[in-house]
Amino acid sequence: MDKETYIDFLDPEISVYLDDLIRDNIIKLTKPTELNSSLPIKQLGLVFKLKSQGEEYENLRSRLKKLLCEIKSYKDWFEVAEIFGGIINLCCISNNDEYETLSQEINVKFKDWLFENYGKLSYLSYSNGPIMVHHIQPYIITLLKKENKNKMAFILVDGMSEFNWTIIKEYLEKMDLRIEKKSCFAWIPTITSISRQSIFSAEPPLRFKTTMFSTNYDEKHFKRFFVNSGYNEKEIAFIRSIKTFEEENLRRALEEDYKVLCVVVDAIDEFVHGQIFNYKGLQNQINFYMSEGYLQKFLEELFKKNYEVFIASDHGNVLTVGQGNVREGVYIDTLSNRVKIYPKDIPIEYPPGIKIIKWGGIGLPDEYNYVVSDDNLSFHDKGKTILTHGGISIEEVIVPFVRIMPSL
């Protein structure tokens, strides 16, 4: 090519698209130290001025503010959740607590949108990606058939939010991988026994109401779905309670070389429920966990065995302030500080000053009333800050769904 012919990425008509191209991994940033310095700079193709954390924060904040004024569909909320996850991460790095104000601003609008639109989501097509978590497995099967592949590993990370994924992604991007990121809506109430069971059964909670408050049926649901999708039960392995990816039962499963492998990872959910600080403490724990390379090593083993790899979450987590312990009537013990579930015949009368939302039970058995702690509050010791889940905030409801592949 002519030595003066090159693409000017500083041209405003081109540069305006760069953030999206980089975020979608269409253009991959290369560290200057990895560039071939013997080439003239114009022949290197792209040279980016990497943004400082402060510049990146302002960029994300500006995009968030603009998006919140232009919400048109669920896809816009996916983008809001992803951007806000990045903002929380940068806030933790810089000891900036602005995410608290932004969370309130986002969730006022998100709550109104959910009440009007949440019931429609389960009926939307998942041909281009799951819209709700119970679409995940049908989408995976459709994708595998389309690509004429039949070997799959599904890593379900309990309690992983968009913020948590932002941290994990930074470590995976250091590997030679292709990362295809989407988002989907968890089932409300965002508790494990409901939303995760919905993933493995590929059904809304209404369809498994007799087991709704237990996680003991996850394996049965998962295997039944994949048997109904054409696999032999002997080709399917379901491994739960994984933390380090070095557990003996997981080692054996890898040696058996199953066609379908599901791995349920508890680490982040345990970090959340054991966290006595805030998002910064959670960020530190996830950073340490990822720096040990547990997930990275496991992914490398899966690729060696030619698995198609998917990572998903059942629900996220949110930083809340306790508004007082509530023990009104007899409720189902969900181990959640954000939601109380009562049999329908139990009258609900909360003390003055307790802020609640009565969730409409969309897609849920109508034998119960579902009461969610409003705003970023929880049914916990008054004034005490805790990380939890079960409610309807965007941090809890919108979760990542990711496909990971080796680079070509």
Side-chain angles (χ1 to χ4, degrees):
M1 96 183 165
D2 188 286
K3 64 180 181 179
E4 295 301 322
T5 301
Y6 66 98
I7 300 173
D8 181 5
F9 285 93
L10 297 179
D11 186 316
E13 293 188 5
I14 297 176
S15 63
V16 70
Y17 298 106
L18 283 181
D19 281 343
D20 291 337
L21 292 170
I22 295 167
R23 188 175 67 253
D24 295 338
N25 213 34
I26 295 169
I27 290 178
K28 189 172 182 179
L29 292 178
T30 304
K31 294 180 181 178
T33 54
E34 296 173 351
L35 295 174
N36 185 342
S37 59
S38 66
L39 292 174
I41 201 71
K42 290 178 182 178
Q43 292 182 5
L44 291 175
L46 302 178
V47 176
F48 292 98
K49 177 186 176 184
L50 299 180
K51 294 177 181 174
S52 69
Q53 289 176 349
E55 289 173 323
E56 180 63 17
Y57 178 80
E58 290 303 321
N59 176 54
L60 291 176
R61 193 174 177 279
S62 175
R63 286 173 55 200
L64 177 65
K65 293 285 188 180
K66 182 179 179 183
L67 256 177
L68 286 175
C69 295
E70 301 174 349
I71 298 292
K72 295 182 176 64
S73 75
Y74 69 88
K75 295 178 182 179
D76 296 319
W77 285 115
F78 285 166
E79 189 171 357
V80 168
E82 184 172 347
I83 290 171
F84 189 47
I87 286 175
I88 296 174
N89 190 42
L90 290 171
C91 280
C92 290
I93 293 170
S94 62
N95 293 313
N96 174 359
D97 62 2
E98 189 184 13
Y99 63 79
E100 295 179 10
T101 303
L102 291 173
S103 178
Q104 293 283 352
E105 181 181 341
I106 292 167
N107 281 310
V108 166
K109 295 186 177 184
F110 187 60
K111 177 171 64 176
D112 290 342
W113 186 90
L114 282 179
F115 271 98
E116 185 174 344
N117 297 281
Y118 186 79
K120 307 169 189 174
L121 297 175
S122 63
Y123 300 103
L124 298 178
S125 169
Y126 54 80
S127 59
N128 293 321
I131 311 301
M132 296 194 70
V133 290
H134 70 286
H135 296 151
I136 288 174
Q137 290 180 172
Y139 172 74
I140 289 174
I141 282 293
T142 301
L143 198 61
L144 292 177
K145 289 180 177 177
K146 181 180 178 182
E147 297 180 359
N148 197 28
K149 297 172 181 175
N150 69 347
K151 196 173 182 183
M152 183 276 293
F154 181 25
I155 303 171
L156 193 286
V157 183
D158 187 10
M160 177 177 63
S161 68
E162 291 280 354
F163 156 52
N164 305 155
W165 166 251
T166 298
I167 304 167
I168 293 169
K169 179 184 68 172
E170 290 178 356
Y171 288 86
L172 299 188
E173 285 178 339
K174 297 173 185 176
M175 303 171 67
D176 194 19
L177 300 174
R178 287 181 291 154
I179 300 173
E180 294 181 357
K181 159 74 167 53
K182 300 179 185 291
S183 299
C184 49
F185 288 81
W187 270 100
I188 300 172
T190 50
I191 58 176
T192 301
S193 65
I194 290 178
S195 200
R196 191 165 83 191
Q197 202 169 170
S198 182
I199 293 175
F200 292 140
S201 66
E203 298 279 6
L206 184 61
R207 302 288 179 84
F208 51 83
K209 61 182 179 180
T210 59
T211 67
M212 197 169 73
F213 303 113
S214 172
T215 59
N216 293 332
Y217 298 85
D218 290 356
E219 180 174 357
K220 183 177 180 180
H221 287 312
F222 180 81
K223 288 184 174 179
R224 181 169 56 218
F225 175 84
F226 280 93
V227 166
N228 291 339
S229 299
Y231 290 88
N232 188 299
E233 187 168 353
K234 293 180 179 179
E235 299 173 325
I236 305 168
F238 184 94
I239 315 292
R240 63 189 298 172
S241 302
I242 293 301
K243 295 174 178 62
T244 67
F245 295 97
E246 296 174 348
E247 288 81 353
E248 182 59 31
N249 55 347
L250 184 55
R251 297 285 111 201
R252 290 196 301 268
L254 281 174
E255 290 170 5
E256 290 291 329
D257 206 24
Y258 291 93
K259 284 188 177 179
V260 175
L261 174 61
C262 180
V263 180
V264 181
V265 183
D266 292 343
I268 286 182
D269 198 56
E270 291 192 5
F271 294 160
V272 168
H273 290 295
Q275 182 54 241
I276 60 173
F277 298 109
N278 51 25
Y279 282 141
K280 177 69 173 178
L282 180 59
Q283 183 199 53
N284 286 338
Q285 286 183 296
I286 297 174
N287 270 317
F288 176 77
Y289 181 83
M290 292 302 298
S291 70
E292 292 294 294
Y294 299 125
L295 176 59
Q296 297 93 312
K297 293 172 188 174
F298 182 62
L299 290 174
E300 288 173 351
E301 291 186 52
L302 291 176
F303 295 137
K304 287 176 185 176
K305 292 180 174 291
N306 297 313
Y307 280 101
E308 302 303 314
V309 179
F310 301 87
I311 300 178
S313 172
D314 47 1
H315 57 77
N317 57 79
V318 65
L319 187 64
T320 67
V321 177
Q323 60 172 331
N325 288 301
V326 176
R327 308 199 184 282
E328 295 293 311
V330 179
Y331 57 87
I332 309 298
D333 188 4
T334 63
L335 303 177
S336 171
N337 297 107
R338 284 277 282 166
V339 62
K340 302 291 186 185
I341 301 175
Y342 301 86
K344 208 62 172 268
D345 57 352
I346 300 290
I348 303 172
E349 294 184 6
Y350 276 61
I354 298 294
K355 299 179 68 175
I356 63 170
I357 298 168
K358 294 182 179 178
W359 182 248
I362 298 163
L364 299 166
D366 61 7
E367 291 96 324
Y368 303 99
N369 286 317
Y370 307 87
V371 179
V372 176
S373 193
D374 200 2
D375 297 335
N376 284 28
L377 300 169
S378 55
F379 300 122
H380 197 64
D381 296 347
K382 193 170 182 64
K384 184 174 181 179
T385 300
I386 62 165
L387 284 164
T388 187
H389 58 89
I392 64 171
S393 71
I394 198 167
E395 296 98 317
E396 299 162 284
V397 174
I398 295 182
V399 293
F401 170 71
V402 187
R403 184 180 188 184
I404 300 186
M405 297 169 283
S407 289
L408 296 174

